[in-house]
Amino acid sequence: MIKSNKIAKIISETFNGFVTMILAVVIPIIMSDLTLRSKIIFSTIYALIPLVSYFTVKKHFKISDHDLTDRKERPPFFISLTILFGIMYIFIQKENIEILTNASLALFASTATLTLITLFWKISGHMTFSTLLFTTIYYVLRSPYSLLLFIFTPLIAWSRIKLNKHTPTQVIAGTLITLAISISIYFGF
């Protein structure tokens, strides 16, 4: 029988913040009208931003684990992400493709909000970026079936709480704040 901590770890790693933040913008890039060359360039840059930021911060600051469990370890990483995602938003905007501009803005706005909150309080990056990913997939596909992805939200939240990475309030905040940001950008509410 598999122990609940092992299941929680599998869920947490499957919906890792690095993966979900990258997919939240790479999926719209792939689905866009960009040339294949531009799709590869933009996807590669967006995939490298979190990795380069993480390894740079890890080299210069003490980091206890890849989840950045200690809130005090988070600001340098999230500040660098916010700056780089902001720069990418400027470049993506020049392509004048609505789904790309909106996805890039949603990633930048969610990361910037997470960064500001992290300066004072710990919020779940897993919940932030998985919520952004699920909302982005719905926005891109416009299929009611894509809403089924939100079935994973309580599982991800449970895994973060079970692993003692977050409190219920922190996972709820990560979900609701990102949901509000992404819905307002994607659907104009």
Side-chain angles (χ1 to χ4, degrees):
M1 182 173 199
I2 298 176
K3 293 186 178 183
S4 60
N5 274 8
K6 191 168 189 172
I7 294 170
K9 187 151 182 71
I10 290 168
I11 293 168
S12 186
E13 290 302 322
T14 301
F15 294 95
N16 181 289
F18 290 103
V19 173
T20 54
M21 90 171 61
I22 292 167
L23 288 176
V25 75
V26 168
I27 289 171
I29 289 170
I30 291 168
M31 302 290 290
S32 75
D33 294 332
L34 287 172
T35 65
L36 179 59
R37 180 176 183 267
S38 293
K39 287 179 183 184
I40 292 169
I41 290 169
F42 283 129
S43 294
T44 302
I45 292 169
Y46 270 110
L48 288 175
I49 286 173
L51 299 174
V52 169
S53 294
Y54 175 77
F55 287 115
T56 302
V57 168
K58 185 176 180 177
K59 181 178 178 180
H60 298 290
F61 300 93
K62 182 185 176 239
I63 294 180
S64 56
D65 60 20
H66 73 276
D67 282 334
L68 300 165
T69 304
D70 183 351
R71 183 194 61 81
K72 294 174 185 165
E73 297 172 355
R74 292 173 161 220
F77 173 67
F78 286 119
I79 289 168
S80 67
L81 281 182
T82 301
I83 292 166
L84 293 171
F85 286 152
I87 292 168
M88 285 305 297
Y89 170 68
I90 293 166
F91 284 108
I92 287 285
Q93 196 175 22
K94 292 179 182 181
E95 295 296 326
N96 202 25
I97 299 173
E98 184 180 2
I99 67 167
L100 289 185
T101 300
N102 288 344
S104 182
L105 178 59
L107 180 62
F108 168 66
S110 296
T111 306
T113 303
L114 177 68
T115 301
L116 289 173
I117 292 169
T118 296
L119 295 174
F120 308 101
W121 185 63
K122 188 176 171 188
I123 188 170
S124 176
H126 275 71
M127 299 310 296
T128 296
F129 295 115
S130 63
T131 301
L132 179 62
L133 173 62
F134 301 157
T135 310
T136 300
I137 290 172
Y138 176 74
Y139 170 67
V140 170
L141 298 179
R142 302 291 172 120
S143 166
Y145 297 110
S146 60
L147 291 173
L148 293 173
L149 289 168
F150 283 96
I151 290 171
F152 293 108
T153 300
L155 292 173
I156 301 165
W158 169 80
S159 75
R160 304 309 291 158
I161 295 165
K162 180 70 178 169
L163 295 172
N164 294 316
K165 301 290 184 175
H166 291 286
T167 66
T169 305
Q170 293 166 342
V171 297
I172 291 168
T175 303
L176 295 180
I177 290 169
T178 306
L179 195 59
I181 291 167
S182 56
I183 287 174
S184 67
I185 290 170
Y186 292 148
F187 305 105
F189 296 122

